[in-house]
Amino acid sequence: MTPESSTGSLPRHIAIIMDGNGRWARARLLPRYVGHREGVKSVRRAVEACISRRIEVLTLFAFSSENWRRPSEEVSLILDLFVQTLKKEVASLNRNGVRLRFIGDRSAFSDKLRYLIAEAEQETSGNSRLDLVIAANYGGQWDISQALRKLALQVQNGELSPQDIGPDVIAAEVALAELPPPDLFIRTGGERRISNFLLWQLAYTELYFTEVLWPAFDEKELDSALLWYANRQRRFGRTGEQVEQQKGA
Ligand code: IPE
Ligand code: IPE
Ligand code: MG
């Protein structure tokens, strides 16, 4: 696997853990659901901002494989919000040249939600301005296991030899394989953890954490993250001197 993606000052791929909806609502004495609803507005803002800044890929963590542990009313409200948002937003995403896709185990979703997801992916498949990836019922450990399961089947069928299994072979089976790896990871809401997001894909991603709660995350906050990113030296195992030399060459 080549961990290198973007060496320029602008990331090609941004991956975000959109955290803090519940706390945003609680601070206003509102039910958590209102925080999730406001969070959808932040998603729209982030998508528009990425388009205007010519970011190629935006991956958003919308629901983790562990979020099923939440109270069932909250889980249903979040899933309803997915349905409503897909119905409402797909046409405009399509008009704006966004290609939408979902990663995660969708078998746990209702027929209706699975249908809307498949329809949205199909409808927007010809677009190329921005790849918008929604991680829903996604877990990094699930992702690596599903990749290994596919490879195990190929070994069982005699199509692959165990000696050939290395980082490149695994990288081709995990989610987002066809896209450049995330250059910039953003987590809002103040926690400094990965929470089982893209474990494999974040190997060389720059990690940015902000206290700002997701519903309050706007263009200005995105630009702060982009500025921070532009000042990182990405070494991919090399020395700083080597990187400087390469730049000059
Ligand atoms: C993130 O916000 C949204 C989802 C996990 C669906 P939270 O709901 O986790 O908000 P906090 O962390 O409780 O504030
Ligand atoms: C991570 O947020 C998942 C999403 C944003 C979808 P959580 O709020 O679920 O993370 P933890 O449980 O605090 O680590
Ligand atoms: Mg949270």
Side-chain angles (χ1 to χ4, degrees):
M1 183 186 66
T2 14
E4 276 116 315
S5 158
S6 172
T7 43
S9 59
L10 194 69
R12 294 177 68 189
H13 183 170
I14 303 178
I16 307 182
I17 297 189
M18 311 183 286
D19 197 19
N21 294 349
R23 279 164 286 164
W24 183 92
R26 202 173 53 200
R28 287 160 182 78
L29 306 176
L30 295 165
R32 295 179 57 85
Y33 169 72
V34 180
H36 296 313
R37 216 176 50 197
E38 282 299 308
V40 175
K41 294 186 190 163
S42 280
V43 169
R44 204 179 299 133
R45 270 203 304 266
V47 169
E48 282 165 12
C50 284
I51 292 175
S52 64
R53 285 158 186 71
R54 299 184 188 285
I55 304 298
E56 294 170 44
V57 189
L58 175 63
T59 299
L60 300 175
F61 205 6
F63 190 83
S64 77
S65 41
E66 288 72 39
N67 286 145
W68 297 105
R69 295 176 182 158
R70 293 188 177 202
S72 60
E73 307 79 62
E74 178 169 349
V75 170
S76 322
L77 286 168
I78 291 173
L79 295 176
D80 281 350
L81 199 56
F82 284 166
V83 169
Q84 288 168 32
T85 306
L86 281 169
K87 283 188 180 165
K88 213 167 124 197
E89 303 286 341
V90 171
S92 114
L93 290 171
N94 202 12
R95 271 198 307 277
N96 285 300
V98 176
R99 178 161 63 164
L100 190 62
R101 40 177 123 172
F102 280 73
I103 56 171
D105 181 4
R106 49 182 93 173
S107 69
F109 296 148
S110 66
D111 287 348
K112 184 156 112 200
L113 182 51
R114 271 185 300 173
Y115 174 80
L116 285 169
I117 288 174
E119 191 185 47
E121 287 181 330
Q122 209 263 322
E123 214 175 303
T124 61
S125 62
N127 296 333
S128 56
R129 211 152 161 213
L130 174 76
D131 271 301
L132 175 60
V133 183
I134 306 292
N137 195 19
Y138 176 88
Q141 293 175 343
W142 166 84
D143 191 4
I144 296 170
S145 341
Q146 65 79 30
L148 296 183
R149 207 176 309 126
K150 281 190 225 157
L151 296 176
L153 274 174
Q154 291 176 27
V155 170
Q156 195 178 38
N157 297 337
E159 297 155 14
L160 181 72
S161 142
Q163 289 87 305
D164 294 333
I165 300 180
D168 288 337
V169 173
I170 298 173
E173 299 297 343
V174 294
L176 310 179
E178 64 291 359
L179 297 171
D183 302 297
L184 171 62
F185 159 98
I186 299 173
R187 180 171 188 145
T188 62
E191 310 299 344
R192 289 168 183 256
R193 53 179 175 249
I194 303 287
S195 299
N196 200 16
F197 194 26
L198 304 161
L199 297 179
W200 179 276
Q201 298 84 343
L202 292 176
Y204 262 103
T205 306
E206 301 294 332
L207 307 178
Y208 179 87
F209 298 92
T210 169
E211 301 297 318
V212 175
L213 303 173
W214 178 249
F217 190 86
D218 59 11
E219 290 202 2
K220 195 169 92 330
E221 303 298 337
L222 179 68
D223 284 336
S224 302
L226 289 173
L227 183 65
W228 175 86
Y229 174 83
N231 286 301
R232 306 271 67 73
Q233 185 190 48
R234 304 193 72 192
R235 293 193 279 272
F236 300 103
R238 299 187 186 88
T239 67
E241 290 75 15
Q242 284 177 302
V243 175
E244 279 309 309
Q245 256 168 23
Q246 228 176 19
K247 255 196 200 159

mmCIF file of all heavy atoms in Angstrom, residues 160-188:
data_model
loop_
_atom_site.group_PDB
_atom_site.id
_atom_site.type_symbol
_atom_site.label_atom_id
_atom_site.label_comp_id
_atom_site.label_asym_id
_atom_site.label_seq_id
_atom_site.Cartn_x
_atom_site.Cartn_y
_atom_site.Cartn_z
ATOM 1 N N LEU A 160 -6.118 -17.675 -4.294
ATOM 2 C CA LEU A 160 -5.128 -16.816 -3.640
ATOM 3 C C LEU A 160 -4.291 -17.680 -2.706
ATOM 4 O O LEU A 160 -4.819 -18.588 -2.063
ATOM 5 C CB LEU A 160 -5.876 -15.740 -2.819
ATOM 6 C CG LEU A 160 -5.055 -14.722 -2.058
ATOM 7 C CD1 LEU A 160 -4.406 -13.715 -3.011
ATOM 8 C CD2 LEU A 160 -5.937 -13.953 -1.059
ATOM 9 N N SER A 161 -2.996 -17.354 -2.662
ATOM 10 C CA SER A 161 -2.144 -18.114 -1.750
ATOM 11 C C SER A 161 -1.891 -17.262 -0.503
ATOM 12 O O SER A 161 -1.715 -16.041 -0.616
ATOM 13 C CB SER A 161 -0.853 -18.460 -2.506
ATOM 14 O OG SER A 161 0.235 -18.372 -1.644
ATOM 15 N N PRO A 162 -1.879 -17.870 0.700
ATOM 16 C CA PRO A 162 -1.694 -17.096 1.937
ATOM 17 C C PRO A 162 -0.432 -16.221 1.889
ATOM 18 O O PRO A 162 -0.432 -15.124 2.442
ATOM 19 C CB PRO A 162 -1.565 -18.172 3.022
ATOM 20 C CG PRO A 162 -2.266 -19.361 2.463
ATOM 21 C CD PRO A 162 -2.094 -19.318 0.971
ATOM 22 N N GLN A 163 0.617 -16.702 1.197
ATOM 23 C CA GLN A 163 1.866 -15.917 1.118
ATOM 24 C C GLN A 163 1.652 -14.589 0.400
ATOM 25 O O GLN A 163 2.412 -13.649 0.577
ATOM 26 C CB GLN A 163 2.964 -16.669 0.349
ATOM 27 C CG GLN A 163 3.551 -17.850 1.077
ATOM 28 C CD GLN A 163 2.739 -19.112 0.816
ATOM 29 O OE1 GLN A 163 1.523 -19.125 1.045
ATOM 30 N NE2 GLN A 163 3.368 -20.163 0.344
ATOM 31 N N ASP A 164 0.638 -14.530 -0.443
ATOM 32 C CA ASP A 164 0.413 -13.295 -1.203
ATOM 33 C C ASP A 164 -0.374 -12.254 -0.422
ATOM 34 O O ASP A 164 -0.600 -11.152 -0.912
ATOM 35 C CB ASP A 164 -0.318 -13.605 -2.510
ATOM 36 C CG ASP A 164 0.557 -14.435 -3.434
ATOM 37 O OD1 ASP A 164 1.794 -14.315 -3.317
ATOM 38 O OD2 ASP A 164 0.013 -15.215 -4.236
ATOM 39 N N ILE A 165 -0.849 -12.616 0.770
ATOM 40 C CA ILE A 165 -1.631 -11.643 1.545
ATOM 41 C C ILE A 165 -0.692 -10.674 2.241
ATOM 42 O O ILE A 165 0.036 -11.035 3.149
ATOM 43 C CB ILE A 165 -2.556 -12.336 2.568
ATOM 44 C CG1 ILE A 165 -3.532 -13.262 1.833
ATOM 45 C CG2 ILE A 165 -3.319 -11.289 3.386
ATOM 46 C CD1 ILE A 165 -4.486 -13.998 2.739
ATOM 47 N N GLY A 166 -0.715 -9.442 1.770
ATOM 48 C CA GLY A 166 0.090 -8.377 2.375
ATOM 49 C C GLY A 166 -0.743 -7.120 2.410
ATOM 50 O O GLY A 166 -1.916 -7.141 2.018
ATOM 51 N N PRO A 167 -0.144 -6.007 2.852
ATOM 52 C CA PRO A 167 -0.900 -4.755 2.965
ATOM 53 C C PRO A 167 -1.632 -4.348 1.680
ATOM 54 O O PRO A 167 -2.774 -3.896 1.750
ATOM 55 C CB PRO A 167 0.169 -3.729 3.331
ATOM 56 C CG PRO A 167 1.230 -4.511 4.012
ATOM 57 C CD PRO A 167 1.229 -5.871 3.385
ATOM 58 N N ASP A 168 -1.003 -4.532 0.514
ATOM 59 C CA ASP A 168 -1.664 -4.109 -0.731
ATOM 60 C C ASP A 168 -2.929 -4.909 -0.999
ATOM 61 O O ASP A 168 -3.933 -4.365 -1.459
ATOM 62 C CB ASP A 168 -0.722 -4.303 -1.933
ATOM 63 C CG ASP A 168 0.400 -3.284 -1.916
ATOM 64 O OD1 ASP A 168 0.210 -2.226 -1.287
ATOM 65 O OD2 ASP A 168 1.461 -3.570 -2.500
ATOM 66 N N VAL A 169 -2.837 -6.223 -0.725
ATOM 67 C CA VAL A 169 -3.984 -7.107 -0.990
ATOM 68 C C VAL A 169 -5.136 -6.771 -0.038
ATOM 69 O O VAL A 169 -6.295 -6.702 -0.440
ATOM 70 C CB VAL A 169 -3.544 -8.591 -0.871
ATOM 71 C CG1 VAL A 169 -4.736 -9.521 -0.974
ATOM 72 C CG2 VAL A 169 -2.512 -8.912 -1.948
ATOM 73 N N ILE A 170 -4.818 -6.517 1.215
ATOM 74 C CA ILE A 170 -5.868 -6.159 2.183
ATOM 75 C C ILE A 170 -6.440 -4.783 1.833
ATOM 76 O O ILE A 170 -7.660 -4.585 1.824
ATOM 77 C CB ILE A 170 -5.330 -6.189 3.630
ATOM 78 C CG1 ILE A 170 -4.860 -7.610 3.976
ATOM 79 C CG2 ILE A 170 -6.404 -5.725 4.620
ATOM 80 C CD1 ILE A 170 -4.156 -7.734 5.320
ATOM 81 N N ALA A 171 -5.558 -3.841 1.487
ATOM 82 C CA ALA A 171 -6.003 -2.472 1.162
ATOM 83 C C ALA A 171 -7.019 -2.470 0.025
ATOM 84 O O ALA A 171 -7.908 -1.618 -0.020
ATOM 85 C CB ALA A 171 -4.806 -1.606 0.802
ATOM 86 N N ALA A 172 -6.898 -3.441 -0.871
ATOM 87 C CA ALA A 172 -7.803 -3.480 -2.025
ATOM 88 C C ALA A 172 -9.196 -3.966 -1.633
ATOM 89 O O ALA A 172 -10.152 -3.797 -2.393
ATOM 90 C CB ALA A 172 -7.214 -4.374 -3.109
ATOM 91 N N GLU A 173 -9.333 -4.577 -0.452
ATOM 92 C CA GLU A 173 -10.631 -5.131 -0.051
ATOM 93 C C GLU A 173 -11.364 -4.307 1.003
ATOM 94 O O GLU A 173 -12.547 -4.503 1.234
ATOM 95 C CB GLU A 173 -10.463 -6.566 0.479
ATOM 96 C CG GLU A 173 -9.883 -7.556 -0.529
ATOM 97 C CD GLU A 173 -10.762 -7.769 -1.760
ATOM 98 O OE1 GLU A 173 -11.963 -7.421 -1.720
ATOM 99 O OE2 GLU A 173 -10.231 -8.267 -2.769
ATOM 100 N N VAL A 174 -10.647 -3.393 1.685
ATOM 101 C CA VAL A 174 -11.343 -2.589 2.692
ATOM 102 C C VAL A 174 -12.114 -1.460 2.010
ATOM 103 O O VAL A 174 -11.893 -1.171 0.828
ATOM 104 C CB VAL A 174 -10.375 -2.019 3.778
ATOM 105 C CG1 VAL A 174 -9.778 -3.131 4.617
ATOM 106 C CG2 VAL A 174 -9.294 -1.148 3.158
ATOM 107 N N ALA A 175 -13.003 -0.826 2.751
ATOM 108 C CA ALA A 175 -13.811 0.264 2.208
ATOM 109 C C ALA A 175 -12.916 1.385 1.702
ATOM 110 O O ALA A 175 -11.821 1.589 2.227
ATOM 111 C CB ALA A 175 -14.738 0.800 3.292
ATOM 112 N N LEU A 176 -13.372 2.105 0.704
ATOM 113 C CA LEU A 176 -12.693 3.264 0.107
ATOM 114 C C LEU A 176 -11.467 2.879 -0.718
ATOM 115 O O LEU A 176 -10.673 3.755 -1.084
ATOM 116 C CB LEU A 176 -12.236 4.294 1.170
ATOM 117 C CG LEU A 176 -13.239 4.768 2.217
ATOM 118 C CD1 LEU A 176 -12.566 5.748 3.175
ATOM 119 C CD2 LEU A 176 -14.424 5.442 1.551
ATOM 120 N N ALA A 177 -11.309 1.585 -1.025
ATOM 121 C CA ALA A 177 -10.107 1.119 -1.735
ATOM 122 C C ALA A 177 -9.864 1.894 -3.027
ATOM 123 O O ALA A 177 -8.725 2.145 -3.393
ATOM 124 C CB ALA A 177 -10.239 -0.368 -2.035
ATOM 125 N N GLU A 178 -10.934 2.289 -3.684
ATOM 126 C CA GLU A 178 -10.783 2.927 -4.993
ATOM 127 C C GLU A 178 -10.536 4.438 -4.882
ATOM 128 O O GLU A 178 -10.371 5.115 -5.897
ATOM 129 C CB GLU A 178 -12.005 2.614 -5.869
ATOM 130 C CG GLU A 178 -13.347 3.143 -5.397
ATOM 131 C CD GLU A 178 -13.901 2.466 -4.119
ATOM 132 O OE1 GLU A 178 -13.250 1.542 -3.573
ATOM 133 O OE2 GLU A 178 -14.966 2.881 -3.656
ATOM 134 N N LEU A 179 -10.511 4.949 -3.661
ATOM 135 C CA LEU A 179 -10.346 6.394 -3.466
ATOM 136 C C LEU A 179 -8.991 6.697 -2.823
ATOM 137 O O LEU A 179 -8.408 5.829 -2.176
ATOM 138 C CB LEU A 179 -11.471 6.919 -2.556
ATOM 139 C CG LEU A 179 -12.884 6.766 -3.119
ATOM 140 C CD1 LEU A 179 -13.921 7.102 -2.058
ATOM 141 C CD2 LEU A 179 -13.063 7.654 -4.345
ATOM 142 N N PRO A 180 -8.485 7.928 -2.965
ATOM 143 C CA PRO A 180 -7.237 8.245 -2.259
ATOM 144 C C PRO A 180 -7.475 8.136 -0.752
ATOM 145 O O PRO A 180 -8.569 8.455 -0.288
ATOM 146 C CB PRO A 180 -6.951 9.698 -2.665
ATOM 147 C CG PRO A 180 -8.231 10.242 -3.192
ATOM 148 C CD PRO A 180 -9.006 9.081 -3.735
ATOM 149 N N PRO A 181 -6.469 7.703 0.025
ATOM 150 C CA PRO A 181 -6.667 7.595 1.473
ATOM 151 C C PRO A 181 -6.903 8.964 2.109
ATOM 152 O O PRO A 181 -6.485 9.984 1.553
ATOM 153 C CB PRO A 181 -5.365 6.975 1.981
ATOM 154 C CG PRO A 181 -4.374 7.145 0.900
ATOM 155 C CD PRO A 181 -5.118 7.300 -0.393
ATOM 156 N N PRO A 182 -7.573 9.015 3.262
ATOM 157 C CA PRO A 182 -7.817 10.307 3.904
ATOM 158 C C PRO A 182 -6.507 11.018 4.216
ATOM 159 O O PRO A 182 -5.575 10.411 4.736
ATOM 160 C CB PRO A 182 -8.540 9.939 5.200
ATOM 161 C CG PRO A 182 -9.066 8.561 5.004
ATOM 162 C CD PRO A 182 -8.141 7.892 4.038
ATOM 163 N N ASP A 183 -6.422 12.298 3.866
ATOM 164 C CA ASP A 183 -5.252 13.104 4.200
ATOM 165 C C ASP A 183 -5.456 13.784 5.542
ATOM 166 O O ASP A 183 -4.541 13.919 6.330
ATOM 167 C CB ASP A 183 -5.047 14.202 3.134
ATOM 168 C CG ASP A 183 -4.888 13.609 1.763
ATOM 169 O OD1 ASP A 183 -3.906 12.869 1.569
ATOM 170 O OD2 ASP A 183 -5.747 13.854 0.891
ATOM 171 N N LEU A 184 -6.692 14.220 5.753
ATOM 172 C CA LEU A 184 -7.021 14.978 6.965
ATOM 173 C C LEU A 184 -8.217 14.338 7.657
ATOM 174 O O LEU A 184 -9.259 14.118 7.031
ATOM 175 C CB LEU A 184 -7.344 16.435 6.587
ATOM 176 C CG LEU A 184 -7.905 17.333 7.687
ATOM 177 C CD1 LEU A 184 -6.929 17.502 8.844
ATOM 178 C CD2 LEU A 184 -8.281 18.715 7.111
ATOM 179 N N PHE A 185 -8.047 14.048 8.948
ATOM 180 C CA PHE A 185 -9.125 13.520 9.789
ATOM 181 C C PHE A 185 -9.519 14.638 10.740
ATOM 182 O O PHE A 185 -8.652 15.305 11.309
ATOM 183 C CB PHE A 185 -8.581 12.303 10.556
ATOM 184 C CG PHE A 185 -9.351 11.924 11.811
ATOM 185 C CD1 PHE A 185 -10.300 10.915 11.781
ATOM 186 C CD2 PHE A 185 -9.090 12.560 13.025
ATOM 187 C CE1 PHE A 185 -10.985 10.550 12.940
ATOM 188 C CE2 PHE A 185 -9.779 12.198 14.188
ATOM 189 C CZ PHE A 185 -10.728 11.185 14.147
ATOM 190 N N ILE A 186 -10.807 14.865 10.884
ATOM 191 C CA ILE A 186 -11.289 15.874 11.827
ATOM 192 C C ILE A 186 -12.253 15.192 12.786
ATOM 193 O O ILE A 186 -13.137 14.447 12.347
ATOM 194 C CB ILE A 186 -12.037 17.023 11.091
ATOM 195 C CG1 ILE A 186 -11.104 17.744 10.112
ATOM 196 C CG2 ILE A 186 -12.649 18.006 12.097
ATOM 197 C CD1 ILE A 186 -11.820 18.789 9.228
ATOM 198 N N ARG A 187 -12.072 15.405 14.092
ATOM 199 C CA ARG A 187 -13.099 14.978 15.038
ATOM 200 C C ARG A 187 -13.566 16.197 15.806
ATOM 201 O O ARG A 187 -12.760 16.875 16.465
ATOM 202 C CB ARG A 187 -12.599 13.917 16.022
ATOM 203 C CG ARG A 187 -13.722 13.501 16.988
ATOM 204 C CD ARG A 187 -13.396 12.314 17.862
ATOM 205 N NE ARG A 187 -14.616 11.912 18.592
ATOM 206 C CZ ARG A 187 -14.945 10.673 18.903
ATOM 207 N NH1 ARG A 187 -14.143 9.692 18.573
ATOM 208 N NH2 ARG A 187 -16.066 10.407 19.548
ATOM 209 N N THR A 188 -14.850 16.491 15.742
ATOM 210 C CA THR A 188 -15.421 17.583 16.520
ATOM 211 C C THR A 188 -15.835 17.020 17.883
ATOM 212 O O THR A 188 -15.828 15.815 18.098
ATOM 213 C CB THR A 188 -16.646 18.197 15.814
ATOM 214 O OG1 THR A 188 -17.664 17.190 15.684
ATOM 215 C CG2 THR A 188 -16.292 18.732 14.427
#
